[in-house]
Amino acid sequence: MSTTLNAPPLPARAAKGLVLLICCAVVILPFVSVVSTSLATREQVTRSGGLVLIPDEISFAAYDAILSGGVVTRAMLVSLFVTFGGTALSLISTALLAYGLSRLGSFGHRPLLMIVLFALLFTPGIIPSYLVVKSLGLVDSYWSLALPVMINAFNVIILRAFFMELPEEIIDSARIDGAGDVAILWRIVLPLSKGVLAVIALFYGVGYWNAFFAALLYLNDFSMWPLQLVLRTYVVNQTQLGVDQLGVSGQALPPQESLQMAILVLSIIPILLVYPFVQRHFTKGVLIGAVKG
């Protein structure tokens, strides 16, 4: 009886449901339109004026064209290489630095912590960053996409806070058994930190996958461009995709709208595939490491 009395009236619940439905439609419909346009035929795209909401006939011609070995295929392989390699390097270096900072009294603890906090508050400008990368000889090298952003101060702070929340009794018992810092980190700390590590890996992976400005600054060779820079060139800037860029010959190209939307779908799919497996770790991995108690 009390539950019924305390429940909001029916018009209020209906209004909330309507607002929620409208918000979902605003979010979902553009994505559906992008996917539908990438799968539409030339006649459907021409008839609809550029964007298709529900295709009458499904065609994979746009995906066959952009994945035929041309610039888009090469750019996607570059993005996968940079994302996986950069995420692995960032995760390893962040875990090592965070573990060292979580051990109070370790060598250089306070100066390194001050440097990390300073990097969290102040970021370098474009010109100093470019001059540093150029002085190191990293221009036109994939290292320029990973080394300048290999360690993120925010991720270090989160991981350090999580490591400091681990029970000291477990680490002390491992030291009594003769385990060193490397063994403790590898056999005890990291297995207990799978949730927060998954979240940090997702943060780094999304950052590497979506990054295009660093490639625009440091990569002058068009063949080294990642997918996001190709996406910016051919979708945002509306540059025409031709036979030379796609690597196809002897066949009519799909409409430019379908090609552009297909590139956009390819740039979204990897994050959509990874996120559901990591989403359940967000509350456990971030909040436990950031909130005391």
Side-chain angles (χ1 to χ4, degrees):
M1 181 65 68
S2 61
T3 304
T4 304
L5 294 176
N6 295 330
L10 182 60
R13 285 182 288 172
K16 291 180 181 179
L18 180 61
V19 171
L20 181 61
L21 184 63
I22 294 175
C23 293
C24 292
V26 169
V27 173
I28 294 175
L29 285 180
F31 180 74
V32 173
S33 178
V34 167
V35 176
S36 299
T37 304
S38 69
L39 296 173
T41 61
R42 178 180 294 276
E43 292 77 13
Q44 290 175 302
V45 173
T46 303
R47 187 170 61 249
S48 64
L51 292 177
V52 178
L53 186 59
I54 300 177
D56 299 330
E57 181 182 352
I58 294 179
S59 173
F60 293 95
Y63 293 94
D64 291 337
I66 64 176
L67 295 177
S68 58
V71 60
V72 179
T73 305
R74 184 171 60 248
M76 189 167 186
L77 294 177
V78 169
S79 289
L80 290 173
F81 170 74
V82 172
T83 300
F84 282 104
T87 301
L89 289 175
S90 294
L91 196 60
I92 293 172
S93 57
T94 301
L96 292 175
L97 179 57
Y99 179 71
L101 294 178
S102 67
R103 302 300 95 192
L104 301 179
S106 58
F107 177 77
H109 172 270
R110 185 170 296 276
L112 286 177
L113 183 58
M114 291 298 105
I115 292 175
V116 171
L117 294 176
F118 185 84
L120 182 64
L121 298 175
F122 303 98
T123 56
I126 298 175
I127 296 177
S129 299
Y130 181 82
L131 293 177
V132 170
V133 171
K134 184 178 180 180
S135 64
L136 294 175
L138 299 180
V139 177
D140 282 333
S141 171
Y142 290 128
W143 287 109
S144 63
L145 306 182
L147 288 183
V149 294
M150 188 169 64
I151 296 180
N152 182 277
F154 176 75
N155 294 336
V156 172
I157 297 300
I158 290 180
L159 203 54
R160 173 183 178 269
F162 187 90
F163 288 162
M164 295 183 69
E165 288 292 310
L166 296 177
E168 287 290 339
E169 293 79 6
I170 300 177
I171 297 177
D172 292 338
S173 62
R175 292 190 185 279
I176 294 174
D177 292 337
D181 287 327
V182 176
I184 292 174
L185 176 63
W186 180 255
R187 297 180 181 178
I188 298 177
V189 175
L190 293 183
L192 293 175
S193 309
K194 292 180 180 178
V196 68
L197 289 175
V199 173
I200 299 300
L202 180 65
F203 287 164
Y204 278 124
V206 171
Y208 281 114
W209 180 261
N210 290 331
F212 76 92
F213 192 67
L216 185 63
L217 284 178
Y218 306 133
L219 298 182
N220 300 316
D221 189 354
F222 180 80
S223 63
M224 299 178 66
W225 280 9
L227 181 62
Q228 299 301 331
L229 194 51
V230 172
L231 175 68
R232 176 183 180 272
T233 302
Y234 293 106
V235 178
V236 178
N237 294 343
Q238 297 292 316
T239 304
Q240 295 290 313
L241 277 163
V243 175
D244 295 336
Q245 288 78 24
L246 296 175
V248 296
S249 58
Q251 63 184 51
L253 291 179
Q256 290 294 317
E257 292 84 357
S258 296
L259 293 173
Q260 293 170 354
M261 295 305 105
I263 298 175
L264 187 57
V265 170
L266 287 181
S267 68
I268 297 174
I269 284 179
I271 303 301
L272 293 181
L273 293 178
V274 173
Y275 181 79
F277 298 99
V278 184
Q279 187 271 340
R280 61 189 180 93
H281 294 294
F282 267 90
T283 302
K284 179 181 177 182
V286 175
L287 294 183
I288 292 179
V291 180
K292 288 288 185 180

